[in-house]
């Protein structure tokens, strides 16, 4: 559906033996290691992906709004278009701050699990909304393969479930907020 650049697939191992020297961590710690990897790598990575989608939505919406004319003037002069662009821009900037904060904490060697989850949850949901608004700005052209916003919408939709759904993110965040 989206994120065609992501080479996602299934690995199946039958009667696979891993020598002790090739284990990552201790035997029996696989789930803990996997969850930590999702938390510290998968979620911030997907947040950054969503941030890129948001930026592209903003760029495409602004470009189209300035170029497309209706009744002799660019549609960027219409208040409804301006409000959609403002919404996309606000979500882009809020998501950028959340993503950069999570990355800064990770770079500083500090725990960033909650911040990464928050950035991922917020940015992916914002990307979906931004893609919808960019499609609205493009009107009928938004569904045509010639315009990137149709792909951005699909990419945004896939980003929500990758690295943990929004509902899982809410569980993680609520546990931290309530503790």
């Amino acid at each position: 559906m989206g994120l065609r650049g992501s080479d996602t697939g299934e690995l199946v191992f039958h009667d696979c033996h891993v020598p002790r020297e090739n284990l990552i961590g201790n035997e029996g710690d696989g789930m803990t290691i996997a969850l930590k990897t999702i938390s510290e790598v998968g979620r911030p990575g997907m947040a950054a992906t969503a941030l890129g989608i948001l930026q592209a939505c903003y760029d495409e919406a602004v470009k189209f709004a300035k170029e497309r004319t209706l009744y002799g003037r660019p549609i960027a002069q219409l208040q409804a278009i301006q409000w959609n662009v403002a919404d996309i821009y606000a979500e882009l900037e809020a998501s950028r701050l959340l993503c950069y904060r999570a990355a800064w904490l990770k770079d500083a060697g500090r725990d960033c699990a909650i911040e990464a989850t928050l950035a991922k949850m917020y940015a992916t949901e914002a990307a979906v909304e931004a893609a919808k608004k960019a499609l609205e700005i493009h009107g009928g052209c938004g569904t045509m393969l010639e315009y990137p916003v149709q792909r951005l919408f699909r990419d945004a939709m896939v980003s929500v479930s990758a690295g943990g759904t929004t509902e899982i993110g809410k569980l993680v965040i609520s546990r931290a907020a309530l503790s």
Side-chain angles (χ1 to χ4, degrees), residues 16-40:
C16 179
H17 175 73
V18 178
R20 226 176 242 301
E21 63 269 12
N22 292 344
L23 286 177
I24 299 172
N26 297 316
E27 189 172 341
D29 289 345
M31 183 58 83
T32 302
I33 293 168
L35 291 175
K36 183 175 169 112
T37 302
I38 289 170
S39 177
E40 293 186 3

PDB file of all heavy atoms in Angstrom, residues 16-40:
ATOM      1  N   CYS A  16      16.366 -24.221  12.924  1.00  0.00           N
ATOM      2  CA  CYS A  16      17.519 -23.324  12.842  1.00  0.00           C
ATOM      3  C   CYS A  16      18.275 -23.341  14.171  1.00  0.00           C
ATOM      4  O   CYS A  16      17.690 -23.111  15.232  1.00  0.00           O
ATOM      5  CB  CYS A  16      17.052 -21.916  12.507  1.00  0.00           C
ATOM      6  SG  CYS A  16      18.374 -20.716  12.420  1.00  0.00           S
ATOM      7  N   HIS A  17      19.568 -23.574  14.095  1.00  0.00           N
ATOM      8  CA  HIS A  17      20.401 -23.561  15.297  1.00  0.00           C
ATOM      9  C   HIS A  17      21.337 -22.358  15.199  1.00  0.00           C
ATOM     10  O   HIS A  17      22.031 -22.180  14.204  1.00  0.00           O
ATOM     11  CB  HIS A  17      21.228 -24.848  15.413  1.00  0.00           C
ATOM     12  CG  HIS A  17      22.184 -24.819  16.555  1.00  0.00           C
ATOM     13  ND1 HIS A  17      21.769 -24.933  17.867  1.00  0.00           N
ATOM     14  CD2 HIS A  17      23.526 -24.662  16.585  1.00  0.00           C
ATOM     15  CE1 HIS A  17      22.824 -24.856  18.654  1.00  0.00           C
ATOM     16  NE2 HIS A  17      23.905 -24.690  17.900  1.00  0.00           N
ATOM     17  N   VAL A  18      21.347 -21.534  16.237  1.00  0.00           N
ATOM     18  CA  VAL A  18      22.230 -20.372  16.291  1.00  0.00           C
ATOM     19  C   VAL A  18      23.341 -20.685  17.283  1.00  0.00           C
ATOM     20  O   VAL A  18      23.064 -20.925  18.465  1.00  0.00           O
ATOM     21  CB  VAL A  18      21.459 -19.097  16.732  1.00  0.00           C
ATOM     22  CG1 VAL A  18      22.401 -17.914  16.831  1.00  0.00           C
ATOM     23  CG2 VAL A  18      20.315 -18.813  15.780  1.00  0.00           C
ATOM     24  N   PRO A  19      24.596 -20.677  16.823  1.00  0.00           N
ATOM     25  CA  PRO A  19      25.701 -20.922  17.758  1.00  0.00           C
ATOM     26  C   PRO A  19      25.733 -19.863  18.852  1.00  0.00           C
ATOM     27  O   PRO A  19      25.372 -18.708  18.631  1.00  0.00           O
ATOM     28  CB  PRO A  19      26.948 -20.820  16.866  1.00  0.00           C
ATOM     29  CG  PRO A  19      26.462 -20.978  15.472  1.00  0.00           C
ATOM     30  CD  PRO A  19      25.050 -20.481  15.452  1.00  0.00           C
ATOM     31  N   ARG A  20      26.143 -20.269  20.032  1.00  0.00           N
ATOM     32  CA  ARG A  20      26.171 -19.372  21.187  1.00  0.00           C
ATOM     33  C   ARG A  20      26.909 -18.065  20.906  1.00  0.00           C
ATOM     34  O   ARG A  20      26.475 -16.992  21.342  1.00  0.00           O
ATOM     35  CB  ARG A  20      26.830 -20.088  22.371  1.00  0.00           C
ATOM     36  CG  ARG A  20      26.023 -19.888  23.623  1.00  0.00           C
ATOM     37  CD  ARG A  20      26.567 -20.648  24.801  1.00  0.00           C
ATOM     38  NE  ARG A  20      25.650 -21.635  25.317  1.00  0.00           N
ATOM     39  CZ  ARG A  20      24.442 -21.361  25.767  1.00  0.00           C
ATOM     40  NH1 ARG A  20      23.970 -20.164  25.727  1.00  0.00           N
ATOM     41  NH2 ARG A  20      23.683 -22.315  26.244  1.00  0.00           N
ATOM     42  N   GLU A  21      28.009 -18.154  20.165  1.00  0.00           N
ATOM     43  CA  GLU A  21      28.809 -16.945  19.883  1.00  0.00           C
ATOM     44  C   GLU A  21      28.082 -15.965  18.958  1.00  0.00           C
ATOM     45  O   GLU A  21      28.466 -14.801  18.846  1.00  0.00           O
ATOM     46  CB  GLU A  21      30.185 -17.306  19.306  1.00  0.00           C
ATOM     47  CG  GLU A  21      30.153 -18.024  17.969  1.00  0.00           C
ATOM     48  CD  GLU A  21      30.113 -19.545  18.104  1.00  0.00           C
ATOM     49  OE1 GLU A  21      29.883 -20.083  19.200  1.00  0.00           O
ATOM     50  OE2 GLU A  21      30.291 -20.191  17.068  1.00  0.00           O
ATOM     51  N   ASN A  22      26.986 -16.402  18.334  1.00  0.00           N
ATOM     52  CA  ASN A  22      26.207 -15.524  17.455  1.00  0.00           C
ATOM     53  C   ASN A  22      24.938 -14.977  18.119  1.00  0.00           C
ATOM     54  O   ASN A  22      24.174 -14.254  17.476  1.00  0.00           O
ATOM     55  CB  ASN A  22      25.832 -16.262  16.172  1.00  0.00           C
ATOM     56  CG  ASN A  22      27.042 -16.562  15.308  1.00  0.00           C
ATOM     57  OD1 ASN A  22      28.107 -15.994  15.499  1.00  0.00           O
ATOM     58  ND2 ASN A  22      26.883 -17.463  14.372  1.00  0.00           N
ATOM     59  N   LEU A  23      24.708 -15.326  19.361  1.00  0.00           N
ATOM     60  CA  LEU A  23      23.537 -14.809  20.064  1.00  0.00           C
ATOM     61  C   LEU A  23      23.707 -13.312  20.336  1.00  0.00           C
ATOM     62  O   LEU A  23      24.805 -12.843  20.638  1.00  0.00           O
ATOM     63  CB  LEU A  23      23.339 -15.537  21.399  1.00  0.00           C
ATOM     64  CG  LEU A  23      22.809 -16.962  21.339  1.00  0.00           C
ATOM     65  CD1 LEU A  23      22.755 -17.555  22.750  1.00  0.00           C
ATOM     66  CD2 LEU A  23      21.432 -17.006  20.707  1.00  0.00           C
ATOM     67  N   ILE A  24      22.621 -12.595  20.232  1.00  0.00           N
ATOM     68  CA  ILE A  24      22.602 -11.188  20.625  1.00  0.00           C
ATOM     69  C   ILE A  24      22.015 -11.158  22.026  1.00  0.00           C
ATOM     70  O   ILE A  24      20.828 -11.414  22.208  1.00  0.00           O
ATOM     71  CB  ILE A  24      21.752 -10.344  19.658  1.00  0.00           C
ATOM     72  CG1 ILE A  24      22.322 -10.415  18.246  1.00  0.00           C
ATOM     73  CG2 ILE A  24      21.668  -8.905  20.134  1.00  0.00           C
ATOM     74  CD1 ILE A  24      21.443  -9.765  17.194  1.00  0.00           C
ATOM     75  N   GLY A  25      22.831 -10.887  23.001  1.00  0.00           N
ATOM     76  CA  GLY A  25      22.361 -10.906  24.386  1.00  0.00           C
ATOM     77  C   GLY A  25      22.364 -12.321  24.930  1.00  0.00           C
ATOM     78  O   GLY A  25      23.002 -13.226  24.395  1.00  0.00           O
ATOM     79  N   ASN A  26      21.632 -12.518  25.981  1.00  0.00           N
ATOM     80  CA  ASN A  26      21.574 -13.821  26.636  1.00  0.00           C
ATOM     81  C   ASN A  26      20.408 -14.649  26.109  1.00  0.00           C
ATOM     82  O   ASN A  26      19.383 -14.104  25.679  1.00  0.00           O
ATOM     83  CB  ASN A  26      21.416 -13.640  28.153  1.00  0.00           C
ATOM     84  CG  ASN A  26      22.603 -12.927  28.762  1.00  0.00           C
ATOM     85  OD1 ASN A  26      23.749 -13.228  28.437  1.00  0.00           O
ATOM     86  ND2 ASN A  26      22.333 -11.970  29.640  1.00  0.00           N
ATOM     87  N   GLU A  27      20.565 -15.957  26.198  1.00  0.00           N
ATOM     88  CA  GLU A  27      19.500 -16.859  25.790  1.00  0.00           C
ATOM     89  C   GLU A  27      18.250 -16.571  26.624  1.00  0.00           C
ATOM     90  O   GLU A  27      18.324 -16.400  27.839  1.00  0.00           O
ATOM     91  CB  GLU A  27      19.935 -18.319  25.985  1.00  0.00           C
ATOM     92  CG  GLU A  27      18.972 -19.306  25.386  1.00  0.00           C
ATOM     93  CD  GLU A  27      19.506 -20.736  25.407  1.00  0.00           C
ATOM     94  OE1 GLU A  27      20.717 -20.919  25.553  1.00  0.00           O
ATOM     95  OE2 GLU A  27      18.675 -21.645  25.264  1.00  0.00           O
ATOM     96  N   GLY A  28      17.117 -16.462  25.956  1.00  0.00           N
ATOM     97  CA  GLY A  28      15.860 -16.177  26.642  1.00  0.00           C
ATOM     98  C   GLY A  28      15.532 -14.698  26.721  1.00  0.00           C
ATOM     99  O   GLY A  28      14.446 -14.313  27.146  1.00  0.00           O
ATOM    100  N   ASP A  29      16.463 -13.825  26.318  1.00  0.00           N
ATOM    101  CA  ASP A  29      16.234 -12.378  26.371  1.00  0.00           C
ATOM    102  C   ASP A  29      15.756 -11.798  25.041  1.00  0.00           C
ATOM    103  O   ASP A  29      15.711 -10.579  24.878  1.00  0.00           O
ATOM    104  CB  ASP A  29      17.522 -11.641  26.790  1.00  0.00           C
ATOM    105  CG  ASP A  29      17.878 -11.862  28.236  1.00  0.00           C
ATOM    106  OD1 ASP A  29      17.010 -12.342  28.997  1.00  0.00           O
ATOM    107  OD2 ASP A  29      19.028 -11.545  28.616  1.00  0.00           O
ATOM    108  N   GLY A  30      15.403 -12.655  24.099  1.00  0.00           N
ATOM    109  CA  GLY A  30      15.048 -12.199  22.758  1.00  0.00           C
ATOM    110  C   GLY A  30      13.906 -11.207  22.712  1.00  0.00           C
ATOM    111  O   GLY A  30      13.997 -10.181  22.029  1.00  0.00           O
ATOM    112  N   MET A  31      12.840 -11.486  23.449  1.00  0.00           N
ATOM    113  CA  MET A  31      11.678 -10.590  23.422  1.00  0.00           C
ATOM    114  C   MET A  31      12.028  -9.229  24.024  1.00  0.00           C
ATOM    115  O   MET A  31      11.636  -8.188  23.491  1.00  0.00           O
ATOM    116  CB  MET A  31      10.493 -11.218  24.164  1.00  0.00           C
ATOM    117  CG  MET A  31       9.237 -10.369  24.106  1.00  0.00           C
ATOM    118  SD  MET A  31       8.674 -10.033  22.430  1.00  0.00           S
ATOM    119  CE  MET A  31       7.763 -11.489  22.092  1.00  0.00           C
ATOM    120  N   THR A  32      12.782  -9.227  25.115  1.00  0.00           N
ATOM    121  CA  THR A  32      13.204  -7.971  25.742  1.00  0.00           C
ATOM    122  C   THR A  32      14.047  -7.153  24.779  1.00  0.00           C
ATOM    123  O   THR A  32      13.845  -5.936  24.631  1.00  0.00           O
ATOM    124  CB  THR A  32      13.995  -8.253  27.034  1.00  0.00           C
ATOM    125  OG1 THR A  32      13.162  -9.016  27.908  1.00  0.00           O
ATOM    126  CG2 THR A  32      14.425  -6.970  27.715  1.00  0.00           C
ATOM    127  N   ILE A  33      14.973  -7.810  24.100  1.00  0.00           N
ATOM    128  CA  ILE A  33      15.838  -7.125  23.138  1.00  0.00           C
ATOM    129  C   ILE A  33      15.013  -6.608  21.963  1.00  0.00           C
ATOM    130  O   ILE A  33      15.193  -5.469  21.513  1.00  0.00           O
ATOM    131  CB  ILE A  33      16.970  -8.060  22.663  1.00  0.00           C
ATOM    132  CG1 ILE A  33      17.915  -8.349  23.824  1.00  0.00           C
ATOM    133  CG2 ILE A  33      17.723  -7.446  21.486  1.00  0.00           C
ATOM    134  CD1 ILE A  33      18.904  -9.472  23.555  1.00  0.00           C
ATOM    135  N   ALA A  34      14.086  -7.411  21.468  1.00  0.00           N
ATOM    136  CA  ALA A  34      13.244  -7.002  20.340  1.00  0.00           C
ATOM    137  C   ALA A  34      12.397  -5.784  20.700  1.00  0.00           C
ATOM    138  O   ALA A  34      12.310  -4.826  19.914  1.00  0.00           O
ATOM    139  CB  ALA A  34      12.351  -8.152  19.897  1.00  0.00           C
ATOM    140  N   LEU A  35      11.778  -5.803  21.865  1.00  0.00           N
ATOM    141  CA  LEU A  35      10.940  -4.679  22.285  1.00  0.00           C
ATOM    142  C   LEU A  35      11.760  -3.414  22.499  1.00  0.00           C
ATOM    143  O   LEU A  35      11.315  -2.308  22.164  1.00  0.00           O
ATOM    144  CB  LEU A  35      10.150  -5.039  23.540  1.00  0.00           C
ATOM    145  CG  LEU A  35       9.049  -6.085  23.336  1.00  0.00           C
ATOM    146  CD1 LEU A  35       8.405  -6.463  24.671  1.00  0.00           C
ATOM    147  CD2 LEU A  35       8.001  -5.605  22.348  1.00  0.00           C
ATOM    148  N   LYS A  36      12.973  -3.563  23.060  1.00  0.00           N
ATOM    149  CA  LYS A  36      13.853  -2.404  23.257  1.00  0.00           C
ATOM    150  C   LYS A  36      14.263  -1.821  21.905  1.00  0.00           C
ATOM    151  O   LYS A  36      14.316  -0.607  21.733  1.00  0.00           O
ATOM    152  CB  LYS A  36      15.072  -2.802  24.073  1.00  0.00           C
ATOM    153  CG  LYS A  36      15.993  -1.651  24.388  1.00  0.00           C
ATOM    154  CD  LYS A  36      17.128  -2.093  25.316  1.00  0.00           C
ATOM    155  CE  LYS A  36      18.163  -1.016  25.402  1.00  0.00           C
ATOM    156  NZ  LYS A  36      18.272  -0.367  26.643  1.00  0.00           N
ATOM    157  N   THR A  37      14.515  -2.694  20.937  1.00  0.00           N
ATOM    158  CA  THR A  37      14.888  -2.239  19.597  1.00  0.00           C
ATOM    159  C   THR A  37      13.736  -1.484  18.940  1.00  0.00           C
ATOM    160  O   THR A  37      13.939  -0.428  18.341  1.00  0.00           O
ATOM    161  CB  THR A  37      15.322  -3.429  18.719  1.00  0.00           C
ATOM    162  OG1 THR A  37      16.412  -4.088  19.364  1.00  0.00           O
ATOM    163  CG2 THR A  37      15.742  -2.977  17.339  1.00  0.00           C
ATOM    164  N   ILE A  38      12.534  -2.021  19.078  1.00  0.00           N
ATOM    165  CA  ILE A  38      11.360  -1.322  18.530  1.00  0.00           C
ATOM    166  C   ILE A  38      11.228   0.050  19.183  1.00  0.00           C
ATOM    167  O   ILE A  38      11.009   1.055  18.515  1.00  0.00           O
ATOM    168  CB  ILE A  38      10.077  -2.150  18.731  1.00  0.00           C
ATOM    169  CG1 ILE A  38      10.086  -3.369  17.808  1.00  0.00           C
ATOM    170  CG2 ILE A  38       8.831  -1.298  18.471  1.00  0.00           C
ATOM    171  CD1 ILE A  38       8.992  -4.371  18.108  1.00  0.00           C
ATOM    172  N   SER A  39      11.386   0.087  20.493  1.00  0.00           N
ATOM    173  CA  SER A  39      11.221   1.323  21.245  1.00  0.00           C
ATOM    174  C   SER A  39      12.292   2.355  20.907  1.00  0.00           C
ATOM    175  O   SER A  39      11.999   3.531  20.738  1.00  0.00           O
ATOM    176  CB  SER A  39      11.242   1.010  22.746  1.00  0.00           C
ATOM    177  OG  SER A  39      11.158   2.178  23.491  1.00  0.00           O
ATOM    178  N   GLU A  40      13.547   1.919  20.815  1.00  0.00           N
ATOM    179  CA  GLU A  40      14.651   2.871  20.655  1.00  0.00           C
ATOM    180  C   GLU A  40      15.073   3.112  19.208  1.00  0.00           C
ATOM    181  O   GLU A  40      15.770   4.073  18.933  1.00  0.00           O
ATOM    182  CB  GLU A  40      15.855   2.397  21.466  1.00  0.00           C
ATOM    183  CG  GLU A  40      15.615   2.451  22.955  1.00  0.00           C
ATOM    184  CD  GLU A  40      16.865   2.116  23.762  1.00  0.00           C
ATOM    185  OE1 GLU A  40      17.937   1.897  23.165  1.00  0.00           O
ATOM    186  OE2 GLU A  40      16.756   2.084  24.995  1.00  0.00           O
TER     187      GLU A  40
END
